[in-house]
Amino acid sequence: MSVEEEEKSFMNLNPLRNSPIITTEEENTMFNFEDYVAEKVNQVNDALDDAVPVNYPKTIYEAMKYSLMAGGKRIRPLLCIAACEAVGGHQSAAMPAACAVEMIHTMSLIQDDLPCMDNDDLRRGKPTNHKVCVCKHSLNPLAGDGLFVLAIEQMATATPGVAPNKVLAAVRELAKAGGVEGLVGGQAEDLRYTGSNQTVKLETLENIHLRKTAVLFEASVVMGAIFGGGSDEQVEKLRIFARKIGLLFQVVDDILDVTQSSEELGKTAGKDLAVDKTTYPKLLGLEKAMEFAEKLNGEATAQLTDFDRKKVAPLVALADYIARRHN
Amino acid sequence: MSVEEEEKSFMNLNPLRNSPIITTEEENTMFNFEDYVAEKVNQVNDALDDAVPVNYPKTIYEAMKYSLMAGGKRIRPLLCIAACEAVGGHQSAAMPAACAVEMIHTMSLIQDDLPCMDNDDLRRGKPTNHKVCVCKHSLNPLAGDGLFVLAIEQMATATPGVAPNKVLAAVRELAKAGGVEGLVGGQAEDLRYTGSNQTVKLETLENIHLRKTAVLFEASVVMGAIFGGGSDEQVEKLRIFARKIGLLFQVVDDILDVTQSSEELGKTAGKDLAVDKTTYPKLLGLEKAMEFAEKLNGEATAQLTDFDRKKVAPLVALADYIARRHN
């Protein structure tokens, strides 16, 4: 099977499909992941477009909107919605949170690409924010901040009918993901080692990835579960699931950086090697890194066994997609 | 009276003091503003010190703490506490919000001083964050973000006994102050005009100052009033008061930039003129700018007439201090 065929055939990635306990009838009622993703991504894109108006001052709103609407797989919003549905909620309850996590993710991309950070030119197959707005360089960090704050503001506002304590819990999840325990701390620690001659231990690398990636996955899934009406027990199981696949996402990202081309990735490939960055393939070797990815995927989906099999299918498929994606 | 004597004699700045309706008895019970400020600033500094631990990763916490603890007049926390007391609350109810506004203010200072923004070397009489952490340049925006997120997180967490809807209202105020309607939008618009040949109208200048300064003053005072248990009517009067003195603060800042030395200011003086920045003195002339400042002070304190005279005295004195400060 070609890479293209494999990518299109999402259902083959679902381990439950080969499970002997799934009957043909069940299999027939299982959703089409490709259609699911296409539908939800469209809805998320519409919601994001609505969420960022182009008011005065236009320059900053346009910079925010440029990066937010420049494509992207929308994995975090999809996880948020899928977690909401996994506990029996309707996706509309998760949509404000789904938008919020994508805004925070986009903020982190803008910052990562800045000249004082990774100084990257290509993101999501398009020129990075600081390459487009080169005449107004200083707008870049502001656009990132604007998106972050908008995420918090909309989260704290656009949740009619939800108990204030649940909204507050969601705000705390978002803040944790964006702050020193999350993106800020992860990026700071990452920068400390990049280009230095210090040996990075596996424990440190995992800590960086947990902060840079897994904590936002966690916020996405936990907020979705909270707004979907999940029990405390369900929320905690989904929290562990999300941390595992967050780490998985980063391990795969490290692997793809050495195995794929810039064209396939939609961003500069081989970047980690070029700046001598510590990655899982560098520390473990490519094969062991791939085994570790499989292990994380298994540990993640193991958290989902007590959930309704049909309702949780999108989450399972998303985990598999994260494990086996090619960009 | 020398400048020094005038600065020390805060009570002379209180317009109510010369009001014929104040009796000698009332005057004797009026508080000592100097002692009030000294006491509250110490308490705020202790609370800020507690609010930012130096955990892993140390580099980022240290960068955050450096700028947060580098002195400063703590006007926003003082306003927050004074507003809480003005509606009959105890200062302890306002302390988390007081810390939050100072963190967000410090974030904006770090960003303002960045090489891609104002590129300033001196702040609060000390080298700016990016001058101290010159070997880890990219930590500067992260330190700012870290402080902003910590402010939101602590606000959403450290408010035991307060109704969640009140905490959410406070989070919304903070987010508005930090986002495009506030600091981010103000800074973006400010940068658009700085060094350009475009004529800035008075309306645009006021809009920039409202966003860059007044919205955070507003958040400080409104959050203090909310946590102090103020009525909706009280909160709205204090909101107008805060916007007026926020704008006043910036008008005075513009005036001081042309009338004071760097030594007196604790930051680079004459900077606005050097970069041909539009300011109130530039648009209105120095005298008219000073008249405008007096007008704003009068309009602000007029909002406070229905409050308990004794409880509101710190707010009145703070407004006067802002109008007549020398740095």
Side-chain angles (χ1 to χ4, degrees):
Chain A
M1 187 161 63
S2 74
V3 167
E4 209 179 346
E5 282 165 342
E6 196 185 325
E7 271 206 314
K8 279 186 179 165
S9 175
F10 283 110
M11 288 311 295
N12 288 335
L13 304 177
N14 191 331
L16 293 182
R17 204 173 186 269
N18 299 321
S19 154
I21 54 166
I22 295 188
T23 65
T24 315
E25 194 188 343
E26 273 179 326
E27 210 171 301
N28 289 340
T29 62
M30 278 175 84
F31 77 126
N32 180 311
F33 184 57
E34 234 188 306
D35 291 350
Y36 176 87
V37 167
E39 185 195 335
K40 302 292 182 197
V41 166
N42 275 337
Q43 288 165 346
V44 166
N45 284 340
D46 287 347
L48 286 172
D49 198 26
D50 288 346
V52 184
V54 181
N55 293 336
Y56 172 86
K58 269 191 177 183
T59 48
I60 184 72
Y61 278 109
E62 281 167 355
M64 286 159 65
K65 200 148 191 154
Y66 171 77
S67 288
L68 190 64
M69 303 311 291
K73 293 181 286 292
R74 313 301 193 200
I75 287 176
R76 292 155 194 81
L78 288 174
L79 284 168
C80 183
I81 290 168
C84 175
E85 293 176 335
V87 297
H90 186 268
Q91 69 161 34
S92 58
M95 199 54 91
C99 289
V101 291
E102 190 64 14
M103 287 182 198
I104 290 181
H105 172 54
T106 305
M107 178 271 294
S108 76
L109 297 184
I110 294 176
Q111 284 206 339
D112 272 12
D113 294 337
L114 283 180
C116 64
M117 305 270 180
D118 285 2
N119 196 16
D120 231 319
D121 298 342
L122 204 59
R123 169 70 71 181
R124 291 172 166 174
K126 298 184 182 173
T128 48
N129 198 307
H130 73 93
K131 280 287 159 186
V132 171
C133 312
V134 76
C135 57
K136 17 179 174 162
H137 234 151
S138 42
L139 269 186
N140 303 127
L142 288 177
D145 290 346
L147 282 173
F148 181 81
V149 182
L150 192 62
I152 297 277
E153 198 177 359
Q154 296 204 337
M155 191 80 269
T157 309
T159 43
V162 182
N165 61 334
K166 285 193 175 185
V167 181
L168 262 186
V171 168
R172 284 195 295 270
E173 292 290 333
L174 267 192
K176 186 182 154 198
V180 181
E181 284 179 77
L183 292 167
V184 163
Q187 183 74 352
E189 196 64 351
D190 197 6
L191 285 166
R192 192 157 77 91
Y193 287 103
T194 303
S196 79
N197 292 323
Q198 283 182 274
T199 311
V200 180
K201 289 178 191 165
L202 192 62
E203 193 191 341
T204 306
L205 186 68
E206 187 165 311
N207 194 300
I208 290 171
H209 287 328
L210 281 174
R211 287 170 194 250
K212 278 194 77 170
T213 308
V215 180
L216 189 52
F217 273 57
E218 190 182 324
S220 307
V221 167
V222 166
M223 288 197 299
I226 288 174
F227 291 134
S231 68
D232 288 352
E233 196 195 347
Q234 285 179 317
V235 169
E236 288 319 306
K237 282 190 172 170
L238 289 173
R239 185 187 294 281
I240 298 170
F241 163 81
R243 284 179 78 86
K244 298 276 182 193
I245 59 161
L247 195 53
L248 169 65
F249 184 91
Q250 199 56 54
V251 176
V252 172
D253 224 43
D254 283 1
I255 292 170
L256 293 176
D257 188 74
V258 291
T259 59
Q260 304 291 98
S261 69
S262 295
E263 203 180 13
E264 284 165 313
L265 286 181
K267 61 181 178 181
T268 314
K271 187 95 196 190
D272 296 341
L273 268 179
V275 298
D276 195 28
K277 197 165 192 159
T278 304
T279 63
Y280 281 94
K282 191 182 165 190
L283 274 190
L284 300 176
L286 189 56
E287 201 174 326
K288 281 265 163 65
M290 284 169 158
E291 281 172 29
F292 183 52
E294 280 303 319
K295 183 171 163 275
L296 285 170
N297 191 10
E299 287 172 354
T301 43
Q303 296 295 322
L304 306 178
T305 45
D306 291 343
F307 285 75
D308 179 292
R309 186 185 299 275
K310 202 176 152 195
K311 285 182 184 160
V312 90
L315 269 192
V316 174
L318 279 165
D320 266 319
Y321 168 69
I322 286 164
R324 298 171 199 207
R325 68 206 170 91
H326 296 94
N327 60 41
Chain B
M1 188 160 66
S2 75
V3 168
E4 209 178 347
E5 282 166 341
E6 197 184 324
E7 271 204 314
K8 281 188 179 164
S9 174
F10 283 110
M11 288 313 292
N12 289 334
L13 305 178
N14 189 330
L16 293 182
R17 203 173 187 269
N18 299 320
S19 153
I21 54 165
I22 295 187
T23 64
T24 315
E25 197 188 341
E26 275 180 325
E27 209 172 300
N28 287 340
T29 63
M30 280 174 84
F31 78 124
N32 180 313
F33 184 57
E34 233 186 308
D35 290 351
Y36 176 88
V37 168
E39 186 195 335
K40 302 292 182 196
V41 165
N42 273 339
Q43 288 165 346
V44 166
N45 284 340
D46 287 348
L48 286 171
D49 198 26
D50 288 347
V52 184
V54 181
N55 293 336
Y56 172 85
K58 269 192 179 184
T59 47
I60 185 71
Y61 279 108
E62 280 167 355
M64 287 159 65
K65 202 149 188 153
Y66 171 76
S67 288
L68 190 64
M69 303 310 291
K73 293 182 286 291
R74 311 302 193 199
I75 286 176
R76 292 156 194 81
L78 288 174
L79 284 168
C80 183
I81 290 168
C84 176
E85 292 177 335
V87 298
H90 186 269
Q91 70 160 35
S92 59
M95 199 55 91
C99 287
V101 292
E102 190 65 14
M103 287 181 199
I104 291 182
H105 172 55
T106 305
M107 177 272 291
S108 76
L109 296 185
I110 293 175
Q111 284 207 338
D112 273 10
D113 294 337
L114 284 179
C116 65
M117 305 270 181
D118 284 2
N119 195 15
D120 231 318
D121 299 342
L122 204 59
R123 171 68 74 182
R124 291 174 168 175
K126 297 183 184 174
T128 49
N129 198 307
H130 74 92
K131 281 287 159 187
V132 171
C133 312
V134 75
C135 56
K136 17 179 173 160
H137 234 150
S138 42
L139 268 186
N140 302 128
L142 290 177
D145 290 347
L147 282 172
F148 181 81
V149 183
L150 192 61
I152 297 277
E153 198 177 0
Q154 295 205 336
M155 190 81 270
T157 311
T159 42
V162 181
N165 61 336
K166 284 192 177 187
V167 180
L168 263 186
V171 168
R172 284 195 294 270
E173 292 290 333
L174 265 193
K176 187 181 153 199
V180 182
E181 285 180 76
L183 291 166
V184 163
Q187 183 75 352
E189 196 63 354
D190 197 6
L191 285 166
R192 192 157 77 90
Y193 287 103
T194 304
S196 79
N197 291 324
Q198 283 182 274
T199 311
V200 180
K201 288 177 191 166
L202 193 61
E203 194 189 341
T204 306
L205 186 69
E206 188 164 310
N207 195 299
I208 290 170
H209 286 329
L210 280 173
R211 286 170 194 251
K212 280 193 75 169
T213 308
V215 181
L216 189 52
F217 273 58
E218 191 181 323
S220 308
V221 166
V222 166
M223 288 197 300
I226 288 174
F227 290 134
S231 68
D232 289 351
E233 196 194 349
Q234 285 179 318
V235 169
E236 288 318 304
K237 282 189 174 174
L238 289 172
R239 185 186 294 280
I240 299 171
F241 164 82
R243 284 179 78 85
K244 298 276 182 191
I245 60 162
L247 196 51
L248 169 65
F249 185 90
Q250 200 55 54
V251 176
V252 172
D253 225 42
D254 283 1
I255 293 170
L256 292 176
D257 187 73
V258 289
T259 59
Q260 303 291 97
S261 69
S262 296
E263 202 180 14
E264 282 166 314
L265 288 179
K267 61 181 179 182
T268 314
K271 187 95 196 189
D272 297 341
L273 267 178
V275 297
D276 194 28
K277 196 167 196 160
T278 305
T279 61
Y280 281 95
K282 190 183 164 188
L283 274 190
L284 300 176
L286 188 57
E287 203 174 323
K288 281 261 161 68
M290 284 169 158
E291 280 172 28
F292 183 53
E294 280 303 319
K295 182 171 162 276
L296 285 169
N297 191 11
E299 288 171 356
T301 44
Q303 297 294 321
L304 306 178
T305 45
D306 290 343
F307 285 75
D308 179 292
R309 186 186 300 275
K310 202 176 152 193
K311 286 181 184 159
V312 91
L315 270 192
V316 175
L318 279 164
D320 266 319
Y321 168 70
I322 286 165
R324 300 174 198 206
R325 68 205 170 92
H326 296 94
N327 60 39

